[in-house]
Amino acid sequence: MRSEPLIDAHVHLYPDSRTGAQAKDGYQIWEYGDDPGVRFDAGFGVLEEVGDRFADHGFDRVVVLQLFDAISERSRILEDLAAEGRTKGSPVEAAEVDSRLREALLAGNRWAVAATSGEPLLSAYVCIDPCILSQHVIAPHLAAMASLGARGVKLHPVSQGFRPADPRLTALYDTCCELDLVVLAHSGPGHRYGASARPREFALVLERWPNLRLVLAHLGGAAFVEAASLAADFPQVSFDLSEIIEWVGAPRAPSLECLVETIQSIGVGRVMLGSDFPWYDPSATADKVSALPGLSNAEKAALLGGSAVEILRLERADLSTNPQTRQVP
């Protein structure tokens, strides 16, 4: 029987299977290069699926992330306006699109928090997009979401079109420090619109907000070589292993040995299991972590959940009591 909890720190949640399927189909994983051996999960990230899947696989806590797809939502809004007979390209239409985009993002956050309320297995992180929400909206919205149970914020600079130190994020970082909310950010190189989220680009953020609880997803992705250096300079930053562990050996991903060396350089106490479900199978990801070479059972247990307890400040008494167990080889 394992002595540490099993925690997945990176799972996407969608209101229905259609939305989940659109998110998966529309997200191109380009940065690691081609690897036909990567296996993708068939799930869609809906609430019932997440609850059943993770409970059955022995997880004690799951961090679920709300991520707003502005491109798809904008297209849908434009279609609705056309059906309403609005004049395409008019200033009135542009203002209406912005207003509906803003409300859709806020409504999505409210749904995610409400849907996970009372679920002992799940912790909800809301989404902020500074290209849609102004700073005077971000602060009160985050405060409202935190009061209803949100534990953190998800950012995706590459998809959303900005860089980590974008001045439009000032209110977000200020509020997260004030309310003790975690910021879980996608990390990795960009490929369009000048957006990027390489680990080194978060240095300016960590210098200005030294109390920010920042988790960089994917261990830096294809820019993983920058992760250990950032960690050495800023002991407050942590990482998750989502996605990158599935792409080990791809042309721009680390080898298995390099991945382990990077984890050890950072320290297992600052690295967490993440599956990126519904893209990947959470149980298979946990098995990959359990099989990492050169790590002790205690180090593997930390990666599988012990580190997350400390990084995310989870009370062990509040963790879901799961009868399933996982042996660490």
Side-chain angles (χ1 to χ4, degrees), residues 14-302:
Y14 296 100
D16 53 66
S17 58
R18 179 174 176 271
T19 305
Q22 287 178 335
K24 292 177 70 175
D25 291 343
Y27 189 82
Q28 180 184 8
I29 303 171
W30 59 272
E31 63 185 283
Y32 302 103
D34 184 41
D35 187 339
V38 174
R39 298 183 63 181
F40 293 97
D41 195 88
F44 299 112
V46 298
L47 184 65
E48 297 79 7
E49 179 185 39
V50 169
D52 293 343
R53 188 85 168 266
F54 283 87
D56 290 346
H57 289 160
F59 285 83
D60 299 290
R61 178 63 61 87
V62 179
V63 173
V64 293
L65 312 171
Q66 167 72 356
L67 185 57
F68 184 72
D69 186 344
I71 295 175
S72 296
E73 186 64 23
R74 182 180 291 274
S75 296
R76 187 191 66 78
I77 291 170
L78 288 172
E79 290 175 0
D80 290 346
L81 290 173
E84 296 168 13
R86 299 292 188 92
T87 303
K88 186 174 182 180
S90 69
V92 173
E93 183 201 52
E96 182 70 11
V97 170
D98 290 343
S99 176
R100 294 193 187 189
L101 265 179
R102 181 169 58 252
E103 182 49 41
L105 191 158
L106 298 177
N109 284 343
R110 290 191 289 265
W111 166 80
V113 174
T116 56
S117 177
E119 296 283 349
L121 185 66
L122 308 179
S123 293
Y125 283 32
V126 297
C127 174
I128 294 296
D129 186 336
C131 303
I132 297 173
L133 301 181
S134 63
Q135 298 208 54
H136 77 272
V137 171
I138 289 173
H141 177 64
L142 281 181
M145 293 298 95
S147 72
L148 295 174
R151 303 290 293 271
V153 175
K154 167 65 175 178
L155 291 178
H156 200 311
V158 173
S159 288
Q160 294 171 322
F162 56 88
R163 290 177 181 263
D166 192 306
R168 293 173 294 178
L169 291 168
T170 297
L172 180 143
Y173 294 137
D174 284 344
T175 304
C176 286
C177 289
E178 178 184 347
L179 300 179
D180 199 30
L181 296 174
V182 175
V183 173
L184 192 155
H186 171 91
S187 64
H191 62 296
R192 59 183 181 182
Y193 313 134
S196 181
R198 301 180 71 97
R200 68 188 183 202
E201 295 182 88
F202 288 89
L204 292 174
V205 176
L206 293 163
E207 287 172 355
R208 181 169 177 182
W209 289 275
N211 296 323
L212 182 68
R213 296 170 61 198
L214 177 65
V215 176
L216 297 189
H218 321 309
L219 203 71
F224 67 92
V225 294
E226 299 174 12
S229 176
L230 184 76
D233 291 340
F234 300 98
Q236 68 269 41
V237 67
S238 303
F239 303 83
D240 77 39
L241 292 171
S242 64
E243 189 175 78
I244 193 169
I245 195 169
E246 304 291 337
W247 286 81
V248 162
R252 292 186 292 277
S255 65
L256 191 60
E257 294 74 16
C258 183
L259 179 67
V260 171
E261 289 174 3
T262 302
I263 292 170
Q264 291 175 319
S265 179
I266 293 168
V268 295
R270 296 166 65 185
V271 183
M272 301 179 286
L273 163 69
S275 68
D276 221 352
F277 179 79
W279 275 262
Y280 309 98
D281 179 346
S283 185
T285 301
D287 287 342
K288 286 182 172 64
V289 172
S290 295
L292 287 173
L295 297 178
S296 68
N297 285 350
E299 289 173 318
K300 293 175 183 178

Side-chain angles (χ1 to χ4, degrees), residues 294-326:
L295 297 178
S296 68
N297 285 350
E299 289 173 318
K300 293 175 183 178
L303 296 173
L304 289 167
S307 298
V309 170
E310 304 302 323
I311 293 168
L312 306 180
R313 298 179 187 168
L314 301 174
E315 295 292 337
R316 290 179 184 267
D318 293 338
L319 293 173
S320 169
T321 303
N322 199 314
Q324 303 292 330
T325 60
R326 170 179 295 272

